[in-house]
Amino acid sequence: EDQVTQSPEALRLQEGESSSLNCSYTVSGLRGLFWYRQDPGKGPEFLFTLYSAGEEKEKERLKATLTKKESFLHITAPKPEDSATYLCAVRHQGGSEKLVFGKGTKLTVNP
Amino acid sequence: NAGVTQTPKFRILKIGQSMTLQCAQDMNHNYMYWYRQDPGMGLKLIYYSVGAGITDKGEVPNGYNVSRSTTEDFPLRLELAAPSQTSVYFCASSWGLGEQFFGPGTRLTVL
């Protein structure tokens, strides 16, 4: 059973069309939820860390939020350069040195 | 700072051959990690290290070995390559349990 599930698997948006990506998790004792961006052929690039329910963080057109069971990555008025795969990962008390990754959401923003 | 560097970028191996994937970081991070990423499967942790001389297994360690003789370097050894080890390999580092910084990856094909 997957501990971290991301949805949708793929998302196509028109430039300027806002939307949200979802990351749900089933681990107990969350010690941090991480969002990364990955461009084709490159390593993941860190975006945000969230630690407690209700926490929010923003960077340019991206806003990450956290509840007790899931996190959302909201993309406001996206541009084509926001096209990438977005990865979610969690750290939990059962294995605190390790990150458990979801499979990612591939976002395509058309001009 | 170069961040996390990995060599080689690409490699083709024959079944049964051995090789070492190199990883180095110049951020004085104490934690280092090796992941593999297969299409549609997300990142899986192979091995990690919390400091020089200390290593531990991750989720998928079989067929791999690591060593950590210095803070900067964390090589990954494949002793008898198998087709199942065809993947993209990422090295990452972090300061404690903070965000992980990833290298550009090594694309390995075993034929």
Side-chain angles (χ1 to χ4, degrees):
Chain A
E1 179 183 336
D2 288 345
Q3 296 177 301
V4 180
T5 303
Q6 292 188 246
S7 62
E9 290 184 10
L11 180 63
R12 284 186 176 274
L13 300 174
Q14 288 300 122
E15 184 171 1
E17 180 187 2
S18 301
S19 188
S20 297
L21 313 182
N22 177 263
C23 172
S24 63
Y25 58 93
T26 58
V27 301
S28 58
L30 184 73
R31 293 290 181 265
L33 185 142
F34 300 77
W35 281 100
Y36 286 85
R37 170 193 171 123
Q38 187 175 22
D39 293 302
K42 297 192 175 181
E45 175 187 346
F46 171 74
L47 293 173
F48 305 109
T49 309
L50 303 166
Y51 289 103
S52 56
E55 190 174 358
E56 299 182 351
K57 289 193 176 173
E58 288 188 68
K59 179 181 179 180
E60 295 180 358
R61 295 175 293 281
L62 300 177
K63 179 180 177 180
T65 62
L66 181 65
T67 72
K68 288 187 178 180
K69 293 184 178 181
E70 58 192 348
S71 176
F72 291 94
L73 185 65
H74 306 277
I75 304 176
T76 302
K79 298 182 178 182
E81 53 262 42
D82 295 320
S83 297
T85 296
Y86 291 86
L87 303 173
C88 169
V90 301
R91 176 176 286 131
H92 60 92
Q93 65 181 18
S96 59
E97 297 91 358
K98 307 169 191 175
L99 287 183
V100 179
F101 279 84
K103 295 178 181 179
T105 293
K106 184 177 181 180
L107 174 66
T108 303
V109 182
N110 296 314
Chain B
N1 287 350
V4 179
T5 57
Q6 293 183 237
T7 56
K9 287 186 170 26
F10 304 93
R11 184 74 185 267
I12 298 175
L13 283 181
K14 293 183 179 178
I15 294 172
Q17 287 186 320
S18 301
M19 78 163 294
T20 299
L21 281 66
Q22 301 291 345
C23 173
Q25 54 92 8
D26 62 359
M27 297 174 282
N28 202 32
H29 285 168
N30 50 350
Y31 284 55
M32 295 188 75
Y33 312 83
W34 274 105
Y35 293 90
R36 60 177 288 172
Q37 187 175 40
D38 300 308
M41 294 302 294
L43 285 154
K44 301 292 186 183
L45 183 65
I46 305 171
Y47 271 95
Y48 67 99
S49 168
V50 301
I54 306 170
T55 62
D56 207 347
K57 296 178 181 179
E59 188 180 359
V60 290
N62 291 344
Y64 308 94
N65 277 301
V66 294
S67 60
R68 183 101 181 266
S69 56
T70 68
T71 299
E72 296 78 18
D73 301 298
F74 191 40
L76 178 71
R77 179 82 177 162
L78 283 71
E79 289 295 345
L80 292 171
S84 60
Q85 293 178 304
T86 294
S87 188
V88 181
Y89 292 84
F90 289 102
C91 178
S93 70
S94 66
W95 180 250
L97 299 179
E99 62 267 22
Q100 295 180 15
F101 294 85
F102 284 79
T106 294
R107 185 175 296 273
L108 176 67
T109 302
V110 182
L111 300 175

